[in-house]
Each structure stands twice: as C-alpha cells, then as structure tokens.
Amino acid sequence: MISLNEAREHVLDRVGTLAVVTVPVAEAAGLVLATDAVAAEQVPPFDNTAMDGFAVQAADTIGAPVTLEMIGTVAAGAAFDGTLGPGQAVRIMTGAPMPSGADAVVMVERSTLDEAAGTVDLEIEVPVGNHVRGAGEDSQPGDLLFPAGTQLTAGHLGVLASVGLQAVEVVKRPRVGVVSTGDELVDDGRTLKPGEIRDSNRRTLLTLVAEAGWEAVDLGIAVDEKAAIETAFVNGAATCDAVLSSGGVSMGAFDYVKVVLDEIGDMRWMQIAIKPAKPFAFGLIGDTPMFGLPGNPVSSMVSFELLAKPALRKMAGESEFGPRVVRAVSADSLGHPADGKTHFLRVEGAQDEFGRWTVRRAGGQGSHQLTAMARADALAMVPDGEAMEPGDEVDIIVLR
Ligand code: AMP
Ligand code: MG
C-alpha cells in the first residue's frame, strides 16, 4: 500500500493545465483567467449622481434653506443638454450624468419642489462633490482588474461586463467523461433480475463533476466484456479531457478494466492506505488522463474527492488542488483498530457561531452505504489505530 499523499502527488505530477481558449464572458463562470484582465474603459464612464435629488452649484446652498430656479430634469440614460448656472437646479435621478456646471447634489428628501413657481427649496448646505460619483472611480483604462490565475466568480464577471469586455482568455473548462463498468448494472428503471443492481456511481460522479463547474459527459455503462470496455474508454479518451470510470479496479475475476487499460493506456495500479477507496488506478490513454475509481458507491465518491478532483482542478488552471481540511470536535467515538489505513468516516455536523465544527457519524460506514455519504457534511480523517473518543479533535474534509 502507498500513502494517499504519494498517490495524489503521482497523479498531480502527470496532469497538466489544459489549453488556453477565448470564451464569451457570458460563459466564463468558474473558469480561470489565463491572461491578466485589463480595463479598456473607465467605470463609471461619466460623473453621475448617487442619489435622486437636485444637481446644483454647492456655493448656492450656503446659508440654506435656499430657493433655486428649476431649469430641467435628467433621468438615468439621458443627458442634460444645457449648462447649469448660479441660482439654478436640475432635477436628477440616480445614475444620471451630472449636468455641466453642477458640482453637487442635494437629495430629494431634503427638498421641496414648487412646480407652479418653477422653483425648488433646499433645506441643507452641501459641499462640492456631494453625492457625486466621479468618472473612473471604480476603474481606469489600463488598470489591472484581475491577474492571470483568478478563478472567475459572479463579481469578477460583473466587472468584466462593466468595462465592456465581451470575451476573456481562460483555461479550457475540463470536459470529463464518466463511465460505469459492470454486468450487474441497470440504469433504465426496469425491474431488477437476480444479481442486478442499479447504477448509482454514474449519477454521483456526473453530478460531482458538474458541481465543480466542469462539463460532465455521460459515457454510459460498459458491460464486463473486453470490447465494450475498450470502446467506451477509447471513445471517452478521444472526446474528453479526462475520463472517470468506476468498477473493475479491484481483484475480481471478470475485471477486464485492468486488461483493457493495460493495453490501451499507460497505467499505474495502486493500493492506497485509506478506507474506503483503497484500489485506484491512474494513467494516460494517449494524452488523456484516465482515473480508474473503485466500484463501491461510497468508494467512488471518496476516490473522486481525494484523487480525481485535485487533478481536475490542476487541469482547470486552479492554484489550489487539495480538499479543504478543517479542525472539528467529534461528538462520537471515531477510532478504529490499527489496519494500516487512514479512515475517512462519513460525518454530519454543524458549525457554531465561532465557525467551529462538531461532527458525528452520518450513519452506516460500509462502502456500499451511500445514504450515509449523501447525508454527510464532511469526511472525518481518522489516523490509523487512533482511539478517538467523544470530545477529541479530528481533521475533516468539508464536502459542501
Ligand atoms: P467492482 O470493483 O467492479 O468489483 O465493484 C465493486 C462493488 O461496487 C460491487 O458490489 C459492484 O456491484 C459495485 N458497483 C460497481 N459499479 C457500480 C455502480 N456504477 N453503481 C453502483 N454500484 C456499483
Ligand atoms: Mg465490476
């Protein structure tokens, strides 16, 4: 058996960042910038008002209350085409450009408009620049908005839209194929025949890929026949940036996964000192990373979190790969007798107001017991042979 770290380092060493592509900003959520994003325009594009109210010359408000002559109205999206002079006011709506000649805004709440007289009474004195948002206060042409390596979230995309950028250079979104292997698998809802089970791994793995922001490609079920497995893997490797298969990596008699991958790929077969998810295979089919995940439903998910996801994050251009580990207190006894493995227990829990986690077992811990995995908020990492009693601290990998 090798350590989890050794297995993960091996995988990370063998995958590289995907190609740089130009994509519309509208499709860039979650992607990683390959080049610096630089502002081409100033934001805001013009001086404008932060408040509904009256644009004035600040000097005219000295000694308020004062009465000024109303010479017009300007809404957002319009522009006032005259020039405001001393003693005058223009009614103005939030976001509208400041009329030329005006240097301050009095908020509408501190004014009384007399439409008949064509005047406005202003209750307060305001300084120059009052409620005025200056052109370029958010960004200036040439400003470095975000450096290469930034993973684009909603706020980033809003900024790119605000400076009029239509497209960005990013690392390609990984396209990840998922295939299930096994004669026993059924996925069409029909009544099960003796020995058959339903394929759950494909659903969980496709969803984990999609939740990470990557493109999930359903490669279907390959039955335990050499030709079927080879067709699925070759097709997956040709059309995807990475392939995840589940099943057939342990020691079963009909495990053609191993036979096929050794023929078409350059694979390393690993036994990792963890439970669940001990068997794991990784290699390349041509240039395409191939992850052979274990078949047991919990194992395939744990294997994805610990091994495939970090590699896919590297391929996607992210700068941090590993799962997020935080310290928690266990309310249950989590220890296990020494077996040479780190155990990843499915735990439920919550954070208190200081952000401190308390966790307890999420249910049955068998690698086939997917409901506990589904309920789990985290995986508790219990070192080999450690007696972990209620109240002890434990490292957890937060799953959501
Ligand atoms: P294997 O590694 O192919 O021997 O599979 C190990 C265990 O996982 C067996 O009990 C399989 O029936 C089960 N298994 C394999 N693939 C799937 C799948 N896609 N969905 C649910 N269980 C599976
Ligand atoms: Mg199998």
Side-chain angles (χ1 to χ4, degrees), residues 181-182 184 224 247-248 255:
T181 69
E184 71 276 37
D224 287 319
D255 286 347

Side-chain angles (χ1 to χ4, degrees), residues 180-182 184-185 197-202 224 246-250 252 255 293-297:
S180 289
T181 69
E184 71 276 37
L185 302 178
I197 63 165
R198 309 215 184 262
D199 175 5
S200 58
N201 293 353
R202 203 150 42 98
D224 287 319
S246 68
V249 295
S250 46
D255 286 347
L293 309 181
N296 277 307

